[in-house]
Amino acid sequence: SLELDATHQNVITVSIPNDFDGNIEVSTNTGDITVTDIDAKTLKSQTDYGDIYIAETNADVETNTDTGDTELHSLHGNISAVSDTGDTSAENVNGDTIRIESRIGDIYLLADGAENDYSINGVGDGQKTIYTDTDMGDTEITFTGSMTE
């Protein structure tokens, strides 16, 4: 068993073997989650109070935070990012399905490819799907590529 004193800063570092091809779940009640350089089937992260940062990852990614910001960088795989209160930034992400929701918070998405590669919130004929929704906040979606014919 592992017990941590909540009055002190605690950091747990876990190294995953390069040939790992399973599912990863990371959760905390209070605290930030940072995940980098992972190849896995799925990566799920959840925190009640804290930020989530995921980068350089090849996996289907699912994040959920009640109060905290989410930053996603250079991801390859389907993405589902949900936040009750907090901003979500996803840059250089490439997946068939990208879903970002925030009850209170801004959404910024820089998706790999061109705009017409995607169906965005039900509009468009693209093979990939982007869905964004925020009750109170701004949404900005940009693309790394030019429109294709």
Side-chain angles (χ1 to χ4, degrees):
S1 111
L2 175 65
E3 295 183 26
L4 302 174
D5 183 345
T7 61
H8 296 90
Q9 181 177 4
N10 297 293
V11 176
I12 299 173
T13 301
V14 178
S15 296
I16 307 294
N18 289 336
D19 61 351
F20 182 77
D21 187 29
N23 303 311
I24 298 172
E25 292 188 35
V26 181
S27 65
T28 180
N29 288 330
T30 303
D32 298 338
I33 295 173
T34 300
V35 178
T36 58
D37 298 316
I38 294 292
D39 290 318
K41 189 178 294 181
T42 62
L43 169 62
K44 294 182 181 182
S45 60
Q46 191 278 326
T47 182
D48 292 333
Y49 302 98
D51 298 333
I52 296 174
Y53 175 84
I54 300 174
E56 305 295 331
T57 296
N58 296 307
D60 289 342
V61 172
E62 181 179 320
T63 68
N64 189 312
T65 180
D66 291 335
T67 302
D69 296 333
T70 301
E71 290 186 49
L72 309 172
H73 297 278
S74 299
L75 305 185
H76 298 279
N78 296 320
I79 297 166
S80 174
V82 177
S83 174
D84 285 337
T85 304
D87 298 333
T88 300
S89 172
E91 297 182 6
N92 298 316
V93 295
N94 185 354
D96 290 336
T97 302
I98 300 169
R99 181 180 196 87
I100 303 174
E101 300 178 62
S102 180
R103 194 170 58 82
I104 301 171
D106 296 335
I107 296 171
Y108 171 73
L109 171 62
L110 174 60
D112 282 353
E115 182 175 350
N116 61 344
D117 293 337
Y118 295 88
S119 168
I120 304 168
N121 293 331
V123 177
D125 297 329
Q127 296 296 311
K128 299 178 180 185
T129 302
I130 292 173
Y131 175 80
T132 61
D133 184 41
T134 181
D135 293 338
M136 294 181 64
D138 298 325
T139 299
E140 179 181 349
I141 302 172
T142 56
F143 302 89
T144 60
S146 302
M147 295 285 278
T148 56
E149 307 245 348

